[in-house]
C-alpha cells in the first residue's frame, strides 16, 4: 500500500511517484481541478487531481471529509505564489494518477470547527484522536517515552516489570480490588505504585531499575488525576539523594533539550520550609515573582486583635502579598478575592492601597488604617518594598490557613495580573517533614518507607514532628513532576516508623511481612524517584489536562463514555467469584 507518510513528503521527493494513505481533511473543487488535503499522523499534504486522469478525478470528486483513501501520484513543486511556509509539506504537492476510496464516512458526530463537549470527545475518542492537535500530542508522548528509555539504558538501568495483581497495602489512596476465583472471598489489589517491588529488586541486586508502568488509585479526580495513570519509575542502590537527583535532573534536561530545544539549566534547590514560607506551596511556580512576606514583627504590640493575636501566637501567622499595580483593583474585585481565600478557611482579606508613598498615611487607602499607627504601617511597607500603585493583601490567623490561602491567592493574582515571567522554571524541593499530624496521629508526608534525614531511631521517636525526611520533589512551573526519597534499608528503623504511624506489629506483619523479612538479608542502601509521565507530557505540549495527552482517559467520574465502563458484571461471573452485588437503595 503506502510508500510514504503524508506529512513527510518534501522537496527531496520531487519527480518521484509515491503512494499515500490517509483521511480527507478537506476537499476543494476549483474550476474543474480538485484539491484534497490528505492527512495521516505525520501531517497533511496537498493532492491535486486533474480532469484528464478520468478515474482519479471521478473518485476525488466524490470524496468527503474523513473518507479513508489511497492516492498514487508524482511529487512536484508548487508554484511560488502557492507555497505554504506554515506546512512542512508546503513547498510541494502530489499530482494524483490514481485515487481509491478505501472506506466512506458519514457526517461526523464531532464538529471539528467548534468546541465539542468532553463527553462527546471521549465517546468518539477514535475520531477525536484524528485531529492534528491530538495526533501530534500522542506522537510526542511516544517520543518522550522513547527518549526516557534511551537515556536510562545509556546509564545502565534495567527495564524490569513488576506485578499488576498484588496485595493491598496502605499507601494513601483507595485500592482497586480484584476478586480471586481460586481463593474464594479473597482479593488482589491493583498497584498504586511499584514501591515495594522496586525495593525488593534493590535487595535482589538489580541496582538500577526503571519501568514505565501503569498505576491505579481509586480517588476523586481532577484535571491532573486519573484512576489509571503512567509513571516513570526509577530506583537505584548505592546512590544517595544527590546522586538520584543528578540522574533524574539529567533525564528531564535531556528530554527538554532533544524534544523542545530548551535548555533548562541547573535546577535550584529549595527547602520545604522556605517554599511554604515564601510561596505557600510545596510546589511553587517560580515564574510568578510574588512572594509572601511575614509582617508579624510589626504587629505584635498593636491593639487590633485581628493582627496582634496571631502575631503573638507561635502557631499563628500574619503575612502579606504586595501586588504591583494592584491599587487599581475595585472594591468588587477585592470582595471577590476575599471570597476566594474564604474557600481555604480565611475569615477575610484586609488590604492597603498605596497611592502616594511619599505622603505617608494620607497617601494610603484602607479601612484598617484607623487601627494602625504610622510607624507600624511604615515598617510593613518597608518589609514589602512597596511602591506607588501597589496593594498589600493581608492574611492573619493560624499558620496553615494563612499559608494555604495566600499561596492560592498568589497564583490567582499572578494569572489575573499576567505576572508570570519566563517559560520554564524548574526546582528541587527538599528537606520535607517526615510526618504530618492530623486527628491526633501521625501520617507519613511521602510514604512509610521514606528514610529520616537523621538515622538515629531514638531521636526520631523522641521528636517525630521535628524530624526531616530524606525526600525530594522535582517541580516545574508549579507542577510536581516527580517525587522520591532515600528508602529505609534497616529493619529496626522500618519497624520504628510503622510504630510512630500507629501501624501495630500484627498489622505490619500482615501487610508488610514480606518486606520486613527481606530487610533482614543484607539490604543495600537504596533510593529512587517516580515521575508522572502524563503530567510531564501535559506540560511539554502545553495542554490543560492530562486527559488531553492520554489515548483513552476516563472522565472526572472515572467512567469511559467510549466503552461504557464500568458496567454490571454477569451474574454467572459473580457466582463463580462468590460475590453478591448489593446496590444502594434509591432515595425517595
Amino acid at each position: 500500500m503506502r510508500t510514504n507518510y503524508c506529512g513527510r513528503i518534501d522537496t527531496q521527493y520531487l519527480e518521484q511517484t509515491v503512494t499515500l494513505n490517509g483521511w480527507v481533511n478537506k476537499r476543494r473543487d476549483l474550476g474543474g481541478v480538485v484539491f484534497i488535503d490528505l492527512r495521516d499522523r505525520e501531517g497533511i499534504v496537498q493532492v491535486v487531481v486533474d480532469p484528464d486522469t478520468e478515474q482519479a478525478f471521478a473518485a476525488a470528486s466524490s470524496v468527503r471529509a474523513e473518507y479513508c483513501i489511497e492516492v498514487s501520484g508524482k511529487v512536484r513543486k508548487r508554484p511560488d505564489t502557492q507555497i505554504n511556509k506554515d506546512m512542512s509539506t508546503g513547498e510541494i504537492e502530489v499530482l494524483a494518477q490514481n485515487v481509491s476510496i478505501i472506506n466512506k464516512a458519514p457526517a461526523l458526530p464531532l464538529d471539528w470547527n467548534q468546541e465539542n463537549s468532553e463527553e462527546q470527545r471521549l465517546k468518539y475518542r477514535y475520531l477525536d484522536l484524528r485531529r492534528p492537535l491530538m495526533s501530534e500530542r500522542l506522537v510526542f508522548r511516544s517520543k518522550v517515552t522513547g527518549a526516557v528509555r534511551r537515556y536510562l539504558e545509556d546509564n545502565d538501568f534495567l527495564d524490569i516489570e513488576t506485578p499488576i495483581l498484588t496485595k493491598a497495602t496502605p499507601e494513601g489512596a483507595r485500592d482497586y480490588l480484584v476478586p480471586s476465583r481460586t481463593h474464594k472471598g479473597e482479593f488482589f489489589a491493583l498497584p498504586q505504585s511499584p514501591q515495594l517491588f522496586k525495593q525488593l529488586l534493590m535487595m535482589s541486586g538489580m541496582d538500577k531499575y526503571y519501568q514505565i508502568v501503569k498505576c491505579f488509585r481509586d480517588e476523586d479526580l481532577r484535571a491532573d488525576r486519573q484512576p489509571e495513570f503512567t509513571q516513570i519509575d526509577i530506583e537505584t542502590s548505592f546512590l544517595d539523594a544527590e546522586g538520584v537527583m543528578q540522574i533524574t535532573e539529567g533525564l528531564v534536561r535531556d528530554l527538554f533539550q532533544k524534544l523542545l530545544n530548551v535548555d533548562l539549566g541547573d535546577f535550584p534547590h529549595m527547602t520545604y520550609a522556605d517554599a511554604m514560607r515564601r510561596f505557600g506551596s510545596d510546589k511553587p511556580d517560580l515564574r510568578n515573582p510574588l512572594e509572601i512576606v511575614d509582617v508579624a514583627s510589626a504587629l505584635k504590640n498593636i491593639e487590633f486583635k485581628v493582627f496582634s493575636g496571631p502575631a503573638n501566637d507561635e502557631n499563628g501567622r500574619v503575612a502579606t502579598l504586595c501586588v504591583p499595580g494592584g491599587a487599581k483593583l475595585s472594591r468588587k474585585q477585592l470582595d471577590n478575592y476575599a471570597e476566594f481565600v474564604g474557600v481555604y478557611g480565611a475569615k477575610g482579606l484586609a488590604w492597603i492601597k498605596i497611592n502616594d508613598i511619599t505622603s505617608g498615611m494620607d497617601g494610603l487607602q484602607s479601612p484598617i488604617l484607623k487601627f494602625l499607627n504610622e510607624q507600624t504601617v511604615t515598617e510593613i511597607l518597608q518589609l514589602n518594598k512597596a511602591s506607588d500603585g501597589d496593594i498589600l493583601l493581608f492574611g492573619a490567623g493560624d499558620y496553615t490557613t494563612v499559608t494555604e490561602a495566600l499561596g492560592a491567592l498568589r497564583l490567582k493574582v499572578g494569572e489575573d495580573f499576567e505576572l508570570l515571567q519566563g517559560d520554564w522554571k524548574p526546582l528541587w524541593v527538599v528537606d520535607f517533614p517526615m510526618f504530618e499530624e492530623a486527628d491526633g496521629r501521625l501520617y507519613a508526608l511521602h510514604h512509610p518507607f521514606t528514610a529520616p534525614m537523621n538515622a538515629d531511631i531514638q531521636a526520631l521517636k523522641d521528636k517525630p514532628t521535628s524530624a526531616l525526611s530524606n525526600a525530594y520533589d522535582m517541580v516545574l512551573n508549579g507542577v510536581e513532576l516527580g517525587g522520591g526519597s532515600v528508602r529505609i534499608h534497616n529493619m529496626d528503623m522500618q519497624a520504628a516508623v510503622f510504630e510512630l504511624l500507629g501501624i501495630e506489629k500484627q498489622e505490619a506483619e500482615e501487610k508488610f511481612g514480606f518486606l520486613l523479612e527481606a530487610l533482614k538479608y543484607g539490604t543495600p542502601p537504596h533510593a529512587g524517584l517516580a515521575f508522572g509521565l502524563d503530567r510531564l507530557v501535559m506540560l511539554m505540549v502545553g495542554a490543560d489536562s492530562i486527559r488531553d495527552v492520554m489515548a483513552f482517559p476516563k472522565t472526572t467520574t472515572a467512567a469511559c463514555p467510549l466503552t461504557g465502563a464500568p458496567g454490571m458484571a454477569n451474574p454467572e461471573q459473580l457466582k463463580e467469584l462468590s460475590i453478591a452485588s448489593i446496590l444502594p437503595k434509591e432515595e425517595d
Side-chain angles (χ1 to χ4, degrees):
M1 297 184 78
R2 72 176 171 207
T3 60
N4 304 80
Y5 281 109
C6 297
R8 293 183 182 174
I9 303 295
D10 57 24
T11 52
Q12 68 176 309
Y13 293 98
L14 288 174
E15 302 306 316
Q16 294 184 31
T17 297
V18 296
T19 299
L20 309 173
N21 295 124
W23 289 268
V24 176
N25 198 64
K26 185 187 295 184
R27 181 188 69 88
R28 293 158 291 158
D29 192 336
L30 304 177
V33 178
V34 173
F35 291 85
I36 295 174
D37 288 345
L38 189 62
R39 185 192 73 247
D40 60 20
R41 75 171 206 200
E42 293 297 314
I44 295 174
V45 68
Q46 179 172 281
V47 175
V48 182
V49 192
D50 287 335
D52 53 2
T53 52
E54 195 170 322
Q55 174 277 332
F57 189 78
S61 297
S62 67
V63 302
R64 297 293 182 269
E66 294 309 300
Y67 275 32
C68 183
I69 67 173
E70 179 173 282
V71 172
S72 294
K74 185 173 285 189
V75 180
R76 71 182 186 185
K77 192 169 177 60
R78 288 196 196 189
D80 291 343
T81 56
Q82 295 179 22
I83 289 175
N84 185 344
K85 294 182 179 179
D86 295 329
M87 293 175 62
S88 60
T89 61
E91 293 185 65
I92 58 89
E93 58 191 14
V94 176
L95 181 62
Q97 296 161 347
N98 293 289
V99 175
S100 301
I101 297 173
I102 298 172
N103 256 318
K104 297 180 179 181
L108 299 183
L110 295 182
D111 185 345
W112 282 27
N113 296 316
Q114 296 180 18
E115 289 294 319
N116 299 289
S117 71
E118 186 170 64
E119 187 81 12
Q120 286 176 295
R121 290 179 56 207
L122 294 182
K123 183 175 182 179
Y124 299 99
R125 189 61 162 182
Y126 45 88
L127 297 177
D128 188 47
L129 292 178
R130 287 187 196 173
R131 294 191 298 130
L133 176 65
M134 295 301 295
S135 178
E136 287 164 10
R137 286 174 175 173
L138 287 192
V139 170
F140 185 86
R141 181 186 175 115
S142 179
K143 290 178 179 177
V144 169
T145 56
V148 166
R149 293 185 188 280
R150 286 188 291 274
Y151 176 90
L152 292 173
E153 286 166 11
D154 286 347
N155 281 275
D156 298 322
F157 281 81
L158 303 174
D159 181 2
I160 304 175
E161 294 178 351
T162 54
I164 293 297
L165 294 176
T166 184
K167 185 175 183 177
T169 56
E171 293 185 41
R174 295 184 194 89
D175 288 310
Y176 277 99
L177 298 178
V178 180
S180 169
R181 180 182 59 81
T182 53
H183 299 275
K184 303 295 185 185
E186 296 183 351
F187 295 81
F188 295 103
L190 302 182
Q192 295 185 31
S193 79
Q195 180 63 45
L196 298 183
F197 285 106
K198 66 185 178 185
Q199 289 190 242
L200 292 172
L201 284 170
M202 297 303 103
M203 300 170 196
S204 307
M206 305 293 105
D207 65 312
K208 285 188 172 181
Y209 141 95
Y210 86 94
Q211 188 181 185
I212 298 177
V213 60
K214 281 289 185 186
C215 301
F216 307 86
R217 294 179 186 174
D218 186 6
E219 57 188 349
D220 295 332
L221 305 184
R222 61 188 186 208
D224 59 348
R225 279 185 182 168
Q226 281 282 293
E228 52 180 316
F229 57 95
T230 307
Q231 195 165 280
I232 305 169
D233 207 40
I234 296 169
E235 196 77 8
T236 68
S237 296
F238 309 111
L239 274 184
D240 58 12
E242 196 59 44
V244 173
M245 286 191 280
Q246 184 178 342
I247 285 174
T248 52
E249 179 179 321
L251 168 60
V252 173
R253 289 176 62 179
D254 185 70
L255 290 175
F256 272 76
Q257 186 67 64
K258 288 180 176 173
L259 300 180
L260 297 180
N261 195 28
V262 169
D263 182 2
L264 291 177
D266 293 330
F267 293 16
H269 289 211
M270 181 182 298
T271 67
Y272 170 89
D274 274 351
M276 296 303 292
R277 177 177 57 82
R278 295 168 58 190
F279 305 108
S281 171
D282 61 357
K283 45 183 185 294
D285 187 347
L286 297 187
R287 295 174 301 166
N288 185 338
L290 297 182
E291 289 197 25
I292 300 170
V293 176
D294 286 299
V295 294
S297 60
L299 296 163
K300 288 185 175 182
N301 299 317
I302 66 170
E303 294 183 4
F304 189 42
K305 297 300 183 186
V306 172
F307 285 169
S308 62
N312 287 286
D313 184 348
E314 63 178 12
N315 296 315
R317 187 176 194 189
V318 186
T320 53
L321 277 175
C322 182
V323 183
K328 65 186 178 186
L329 286 169
S330 67
R331 187 58 186 262
K332 185 177 186 327
Q333 289 172 309
L334 288 168
D335 288 343
N336 289 339
Y337 282 146
E339 187 177 336
F340 175 81
V341 295
V343 174
Y344 297 87
K347 295 178 181 177
L349 185 68
W351 49 269
I352 297 178
K353 292 183 177 182
I354 299 118
N355 300 318
D356 180 6
I357 203 166
T358 61
S359 298
M361 298 288 273
D362 292 337
L364 308 177
Q365 179 185 351
S366 171
I368 66 169
L369 287 175
K370 59 188 174 185
F371 302 113
L372 306 175
N373 58 54
E374 188 164 0
Q375 181 182 344
T376 297
V377 172
T378 300
E379 189 175 345
I380 291 171
L381 294 177
Q382 289 173 347
L383 286 169
N384 281 275
K385 300 177 181 176
S387 303
D388 289 349
D390 296 349
I391 191 170
L392 297 181
L393 303 175
F394 288 77
D398 72 86
Y399 191 92
T400 300
T401 299
V402 171
T403 300
E404 289 182 356
L406 289 185
L409 184 61
R410 170 182 174 268
L411 295 178
K412 180 166 179 56
V413 169
E415 290 182 4
D416 291 350
F417 280 74
E418 299 181 349
L419 298 177
L420 302 191
Q421 301 170 0
D423 295 323
W424 304 105
K425 293 287 186 179
L427 79 152
W428 286 104
V429 178
V430 298
D431 295 349
F432 285 83
M434 184 78 179
F435 305 106
E436 55 185 347
E437 198 169 5
D439 307 320
R441 58 166 293 187
L442 297 178
Y443 295 87
L445 197 67
H446 273 69
H447 55 62
F449 318 108
T450 300
M453 193 72 76
N454 182 348
D456 186 303
I457 293 176
Q458 194 55 51
L460 181 67
K461 287 184 173 181
D462 289 343
K463 294 184 177 180
T465 55
S466 301
L468 297 179
S469 66
N470 206 344
Y472 34 84
D473 282 0
M474 184 188 292
V475 177
L476 180 63
N477 291 4
V479 175
E480 180 194 326
L481 283 188
S485 67
V486 173
R487 321 303 187 187
I488 297 170
H489 67 277
N490 175 277
M491 186 178 66
D492 293 335
M493 176 61 78
Q494 186 65 75
V497 170
F498 283 161
E499 182 183 338
L500 287 166
L501 292 172
I503 300 174
E504 300 292 338
K505 211 167 187 178
Q506 183 178 346
E507 183 186 0
E509 190 60 39
E510 287 175 0
K511 297 185 182 304
F512 307 108
F514 60 95
L515 176 71
L516 295 172
E517 177 72 13
L519 284 169
K520 297 177 183 177
Y521 300 106
T523 299
H526 53 286
L529 181 141
F531 289 107
L533 174 64
D534 311 297
R535 289 186 189 180
L536 175 61
V537 176
M538 177 186 75
L539 279 179
M540 293 182 79
V541 302
D544 295 325
S545 163
I546 61 172
R547 292 192 291 277
D548 284 336
V549 296
M550 302 171 78
F552 300 104
K554 306 292 189 293
T555 65
T556 52
T557 59
C560 176
L562 173 65
T563 62
M568 299 297 291
N570 184 302
E572 288 302 312
Q573 287 178 302
L574 293 178
K575 186 177 179 182
E576 269 193 316
L577 295 167
S578 300
I579 290 178
S581 178
I582 304 173
L583 295 175
K585 293 181 179 178
E586 292 186 13
E587 295 184 6
D588 294 334

